[in-house]
Amino acid sequence: MDTLVQEHLDRYWAGKQNVDAYKLSLHLLLTLACRFLMGYQDHARIEKLSDYMNNVMFALDVIPLKIPGTCFYRGLKAAESVTKEIRVLIKEMKAAMASGVEMQDIFSFMISRPDPSTGKFMPESDIADKMMGLLSAAFNSPCINITFIMKFLAERPEILQKVRDEQFDVAKSKNQGEPLNWGDIQKMKYSWNVALEVMRHRPPVQGFFIEATTYFTYEAYTIPKRWKVCWSVSSTNMDPELFPEPEVFDPTRFDTGAPPPYSNVPFGSGPRSCPGKDYARMQIFIFLHHVVRRFNWDLMNLDCKVLGGMNPIPIEGLPIRLHNY
């Protein structure tokens, strides 16, 4: 991951004056997902997938009008294109494995391993659907997190400098060219506090629907069993009883320890926590480690409009002006 992040910055950031941090974050995280989940690194294909998946993300929480020209229709067509691309990859993967190429990723596992109870192989349509779900989960929320970390740091140069100082301290403990490891990640405490505070202000998912498993009473309302309930992440994160002066951006509020249970939960909490949270943390840390040591940046659009709904996506991306550090 460390190597791929550096290659991405060399290819798409270095030497550029202006970049779209949102679209490039999406491209980076999709590159990582394709490499680790599907075992390939075709830049041209990933760029095509990135455009398709961007349209899919915009269509996740809109009025489902299947009419040409609508956001929902574009998302459906993009999803069909992603599925078609994955099915082509399935055929290529099967041919490679048949020729003796060894694969070690979840994509090849689903293709090559039959169901132990039936002996049947998974249909290609099911594999394509599952891979699209995995790709979406692997990059959607982390992409939103990285985008808003870049935005909040650009608006707060004093906090950016503290993150940079911490990352330079980590780099000083390494030999020249030595990649980051899990122990290095654990040293990035202030950087993680910044990420937590960004996710408190801009949670990657605004809320979740769950089903009531029994009757219960809340604020004098009786909620019947099996009713759907939406719990709000964003309003919980702004509760002054949980977070004093909630409108203030203050990473030090996490210095004294973890927030109260079920308060700041960008990855969920309890037994239903996101299984990919450590993977997401690594993506954020490794990207931050390299980007803050190589670049300064300014926002080109101070009035960045954000799509309302379950996922806070910047409608026009996040264009930034780069300066070498």
Side-chain angles (χ1 to χ4, degrees):
M1 189 180 289
D2 188 293
T3 301
L4 291 173
V5 169
Q6 292 186 68
E7 288 176 357
H8 171 85
L9 293 175
D10 289 338
R11 179 183 288 264
Y12 297 103
W13 295 63
K16 306 291 193 302
Q17 289 186 327
N18 305 324
V19 299
D20 185 337
Y22 168 70
K23 286 190 175 180
L24 287 185
S25 297
L26 191 155
H27 184 275
L28 168 63
L29 299 178
L30 194 56
T31 298
L32 298 177
C34 287
R35 170 63 181 83
F36 298 126
L37 301 179
M38 303 176 72
Y40 83 100
Q41 286 178 253
D42 185 321
H43 291 291
R45 271 180 163 167
I46 291 171
E47 287 181 14
K48 189 193 301 184
L49 279 176
S50 180
D51 290 337
Y52 291 149
M53 294 301 289
N54 190 37
N55 283 325
V56 171
M57 292 305 105
F58 272 105
L60 287 179
D61 187 38
V62 297
I63 298 172
L65 294 175
K66 196 176 179 179
I67 301 171
T70 63
C71 183
F72 184 72
Y73 186 85
R74 286 195 298 273
L76 283 178
K77 290 299 177 183
E80 290 172 5
S81 297
V82 173
T83 300
K84 188 183 298 182
E85 187 72 18
I86 292 174
R87 294 186 80 156
V88 170
L89 289 170
I90 291 172
K91 289 179 170 51
E92 293 177 2
M93 184 77 78
K94 284 182 175 179
M97 288 188 289
S99 67
V101 177
E102 291 189 8
M103 305 284 185
Q104 290 186 332
D105 53 72
I106 196 168
F107 190 41
S108 60
F109 182 87
M110 286 193 287
I111 292 170
S112 62
R113 301 298 175 91
D115 186 322
S117 61
T118 65
K120 294 181 179 179
F121 287 90
M122 191 182 299
E124 290 187 2
S125 58
D126 287 358
I127 295 172
D129 285 345
K130 291 180 187 301
M131 285 311 306
M132 186 170 173
L134 282 170
L135 291 177
S136 300
F139 84 88
N140 184 31
S141 293
C143 174
I144 293 170
N145 293 338
I146 285 177
T147 299
F148 283 103
I149 288 171
M150 295 290 287
K151 180 179 185 295
F152 277 71
L153 290 180
E155 295 168 339
R156 297 161 177 83
E158 72 286 355
I159 292 178
L160 169 58
Q161 190 56 48
K162 291 180 181 179
V163 171
R164 181 175 284 130
D165 290 343
E166 181 176 73
Q167 296 302 333
F168 269 111
D169 286 342
V170 171
K172 288 175 186 175
S173 68
K174 312 289 290 181
N175 295 323
Q176 183 69 27
E178 183 185 359
L180 292 170
N181 58 43
W182 187 249
D184 300 321
I185 298 296
Q186 308 313 308
K187 300 174 185 175
M188 302 177 185
K189 299 187 183 304
Y190 184 77
S191 298
W192 184 239
N193 286 352
V194 170
L196 283 175
E197 185 70 344
V198 170
M199 289 186 279
R200 187 181 70 82
H201 279 260
R202 283 290 188 184
V205 179
Q206 300 294 318
F208 294 90
F209 285 97
I210 56 176
E211 183 178 295
T213 58
T214 185
Y215 288 88
F216 69 96
T217 301
Y218 178 76
E219 297 287 344
Y221 289 92
T222 298
I223 310 299
K225 182 179 180 179
R226 295 196 178 90
W227 272 37
K228 298 294 184 186
V229 179
C230 180
W231 62 276
S232 170
V233 177
S234 51
S235 56
T236 302
N237 288 353
M238 290 295 161
D239 186 340
E241 293 184 9
L242 299 171
F243 302 100
E245 298 183 275
E247 300 297 333
V248 175
F249 187 87
D250 179 17
T252 64
R253 70 173 74 246
F254 299 107
D255 282 347
T256 55
Y262 302 101
S263 56
N264 190 20
V265 286
F267 300 104
S269 193
R272 299 285 297 276
S273 294
C274 172
K277 61 183 178 182
D278 286 325
Y279 175 75
R281 287 180 75 225
M282 280 196 295
Q283 292 178 121
I284 293 169
F285 281 140
I286 293 173
F287 175 77
L288 269 181
H289 179 75
H290 292 291
V291 79
V292 300
R293 293 187 304 118
R294 293 182 62 172
F295 303 105
N296 270 321
W297 60 92
D298 306 310
L299 298 178
M300 297 176 64
N301 179 8
L302 298 179
D303 184 25
C304 175
K305 292 182 173 57
V306 178
L307 184 71
M310 297 301 278
N311 299 110
I313 301 174
I315 294 173
E316 298 173 350
L318 188 72
I320 58 175
R321 187 174 294 107
L322 290 177
H323 315 278
N324 289 330
Y325 181 71

